[in-house]
Amino acid sequence: ELEAELSALGARVRIAACDVADRAALADLLASVPAGAPLTGVVHTAGVAAANAFLDALAQHRRARGLAATSLGWGLWAQATSLSGHLSEADQKRMARGGMIGLSVDEGMELFDLSLQAPEAALVPFKLDLTGLKDQARTGSVPALLRGLVSVGRRSAQGAGAGADSLLKRRTGR
């Protein structure tokens, strides 16, 4: 389906599966690329392979030399995948409370397109519910990585004093 869509848009497409950890298999695949139709793009779609860390570093290395490369560490997708299909409804609700919402296919494709224009070599496209994060900020439970995205605002000294007075009244009975 993807091949047909890309071909209809004028691209020459060849889809090949290859274990990039198998050096010989990768060399054979690259050698099979015809000289008249050079390789101009690669989309590596491993979900949990050690290759991901290498590809993040490779993208940064290439960008530092003025070459094209983008590495994406995708967040949660709304559509069940082989990586997320095991998540229960309770798991998904827990993640939503933490601010993580699944991307729709359209949102993911839009982020993919935008990422190719971004100056950064490695990006993590995902969807956040900032309201949920603000709720967590009020209780001090926002994950450290996300704390800079939301703030609760400052409590006034008057508001803090009222709480202290109330505590004093409860403790002393006055």
Side-chain angles (χ1 to χ4, degrees):
E1 189 177 317
L2 175 61
E3 182 179 9
E5 184 178 343
L6 292 172
S7 295
L9 293 170
R12 287 181 289 170
V13 178
R14 177 175 169 212
I15 297 175
C18 177
D19 180 357
V20 296
D22 181 339
R23 186 180 180 114
L26 183 58
D28 288 345
L29 177 62
L30 292 174
S32 74
V33 176
L39 181 65
T40 58
V42 174
V43 176
H44 178 264
T45 58
V48 294
N52 292 345
F54 172 78
L55 291 174
D56 289 346
L58 177 62
Q60 292 180 11
H61 175 78
R62 288 183 55 85
R63 284 286 184 101
R65 284 156 182 71
L67 302 170
T70 303
S71 182
L72 303 175
W74 290 98
L76 181 68
W77 287 72
Q79 177 183 351
T81 67
S82 60
L83 295 176
S84 65
H86 69 285
L87 297 173
S88 68
E89 187 175 333
D91 293 327
Q92 292 177 4
K93 286 181 179 180
R94 179 182 36 79
M95 288 189 295
R97 283 191 308 271
M100 183 67 66
I101 301 173
L103 289 165
S104 70
V105 171
D106 288 341
E107 290 168 328
M109 293 299 95
E110 185 176 349
L111 288 172
F112 180 84
D113 290 341
L114 289 171
S115 70
L116 298 178
Q117 308 305 315
E120 296 83 10
L123 302 164
V124 182
F126 63 100
K127 187 175 180 179
L128 284 177
D129 173 9
L130 292 178
T131 301
L133 286 178
K134 286 179 184 177
D135 291 344
Q136 283 188 9
R138 285 191 256 299
T139 64
S141 60
V142 174
L145 183 64
L146 304 176
R147 284 185 191 139
L149 298 176
V150 293
S151 66
V152 182
R154 295 181 176 214
R155 288 181 14 182
S156 68
Q158 182 179 13
D165 285 346
S166 176
L167 178 60
L168 179 63
K169 287 177 185 176
R170 286 192 312 242
R171 293 291 179 213
T172 62
R174 294 191 247 160

